[in-house]
Amino acid sequence: MSTTTDTRQALPVGTWQLDPVHSTIGFEVDYMGGAFRGQFREVTAELDAEGETPILTGSAKVASADLKDENLTAHIQSPDFFDAERFPALSFESSEIDRAGDQITVRGGITIKGVEKPVELTGTLGEPITDPYGRERISLKLDTKIDRQEFGVNWNVPLPDGTPALADEVKLAAELYLVREA
Amino acid sequence: MKVLAISGSLRRDSYNTKLLRAAEELLPPEVDFVLYPGVKDVPPYDEEDDVQPAPMAVAALRSAIREADAVLFATPEYNSSVPGSLKNALDWVSRPVATNPLRNKPVAVVGASTGAFGAVWAQAELRKILAAIGARIVDAEVAVGHAPTRFDEAGRLEDEELQDQLQETVEALLAETRARALVLV
């Protein structure tokens, strides 16, 4: 008999596809004492919880990055930032998912600008609800912090006192609404 | 493949133009080299004039960059930075940012000056400007200091180390251009 207590709980069985209209993948980075935010308008995600090891995958199209200024939107797609021409998408694939109640921890690899790094996402998983069309939906909210320098996204400009204007730490936040495949 | 060369110095006997000509000599025969003749004709940037059709000199420059597969810049250094005429020309080219012809374009920057340092600060500034515009900047540098003493009568760089650096810069630019062509296929 095992002496350890396994607190892992299964995920709701099924293959869950993204409802893109109600989902957001955004980023936030400190800039000159404030915060600089944006989101990707074209994203994909799937949670495959059919087998023993559930797998969460997702991607965001760099060209769909949406910021409040068109010049900034253009700039972050250039080789200075994401280099969208050469690396059109950011992607994620999980290796391990732990759930304890509504708390969820997802470990896996995130690929930005062609560089893959391990990452841990934490957040919440809602209980399935049935929508008016009879489809089951779940909410999955995850966030993490990454160091953009590790991915070669290293643009910066010094402030008058010499400190860099743009922080290296970037918060990524995904609010995913997933629908169970019939 | 077509390489457009833009000199930041307008003078007829410019050392920077000579440096571009020296680079031309290092290109393989299948590469077309065009030295852009019209930077001096570009008017001062005025948003009121930045309409369609663009001023002729601006349209010509935008079109020359769009048609080129890569751009090689040579800049002198005026007051620790790039000449105003070059910056002005790039300001025209850069707009609108999202569709400007330098976006993703492989570019390299070299420079010559009569002083000791070969326009290194101007080159750094030019790389910063080109990065903001969205160009794909090759990580290579040639700084020809004491320029009046560096070229032989045929316009070739006499210093072997500088010649090697220019060769490396040209090769890096061509490699980046070929890599981009593969992505765009």
Side-chain angles (χ1 to χ4, degrees), chain A residues 51-78:
Chain A
E52 202 168 298
T53 306
I55 296 173
L56 176 68
T57 53
S59 70
K61 194 173 170 187
V62 177
S64 76
D66 186 14
L67 290 84
K68 287 183 178 174
D69 179 285
E70 63 180 341
N71 291 328
L72 287 177
T73 301
H75 193 190
I76 72 158
Q77 288 166 32
S78 73

Side-chain angles (χ1 to χ4, degrees), chain A residues 9-17 47 49 99 101-102 104 124-132 134-140 176-181:
Chain A
Q9 292 171 260
L11 298 174
V13 174
T15 300
W16 299 80
Q17 299 289 353
L47 175 63
R99 178 189 182 193
D102 67 348
I104 191 161
T124 57
L125 177 71
E127 289 297 324
I129 60 121
T130 304
D131 73 16
R135 296 174 304 191
E136 277 194 285
R137 293 170 167 268
I138 47 170
S139 142
L140 177 58
L176 308 177
Y177 288 86
L178 300 155
V179 182
R180 175 143 50 194
E181 266 184 2

Side-chain angles (χ1 to χ4, degrees), chain B:
Chain B
M1 189 193 294
K2 187 186 281 186
V3 174
L4 182 70
I6 297 179
S7 176
S9 170
L10 306 178
R11 194 167 63 88
R12 191 186 55 199
D13 296 325
S14 150
Y15 298 115
N16 279 283
T17 306
K18 273 188 186 167
L19 185 55
L20 293 173
R21 287 291 182 199
E24 179 185 9
E25 296 300 314
L26 301 172
L27 292 170
E30 71 274 15
V31 177
D32 288 335
F33 176 93
V34 178
L35 180 63
Y36 193 71
V39 171
K40 192 173 180 173
D41 302 328
V42 177
Y45 183 79
D46 181 339
E47 197 172 350
E48 288 177 28
D49 298 334
D50 192 1
V51 292
Q52 291 298 334
M56 272 179 65
V58 172
L61 177 59
R62 285 175 174 160
S63 161
I65 291 172
R66 203 175 295 283
E67 285 167 16
D69 300 297
V71 185
L72 176 62
F73 289 90
T75 184
E77 189 163 280
Y78 295 179
N79 300 307
S80 305
S81 188
V82 298
S85 52
L86 179 59
K87 175 67 162 59
N88 178 61
L90 290 172
D91 289 341
W92 273 107
V93 169
S94 71
R95 293 179 62 91
V97 176
T99 56
N100 85 75
L102 275 171
R103 197 165 166 75
N104 290 308
K105 188 80 68 181
V107 300
V109 173
V110 297
S113 71
T114 53
F117 301 110
V120 284
W121 291 286
Q123 290 190 52
E125 298 250 315
L126 183 51
R127 288 187 191 96
K128 186 175 81 174
I129 294 162
L130 290 166
I133 293 173
R136 193 176 291 288
I137 302 159
V138 165
D139 184 16
E141 182 174 78
V142 183
V144 180
H146 304 299
T149 67
R150 296 297 195 189
F151 297 92
D152 65 18
E153 283 188 5
R156 197 173 176 278
L157 279 170
E158 288 185 318
D159 185 300
E160 215 167 281
E161 197 177 328
L162 288 173
Q163 181 74 3
D164 287 349
Q165 288 171 7
L166 189 59
Q167 178 87 47
E168 284 165 20
T169 301
V170 164
E171 282 170 9
L173 182 62
L174 296 183
E176 193 67 61
T177 308
R178 289 189 195 103
R180 184 175 186 230
L182 291 176
V183 172
L184 295 180
V185 163

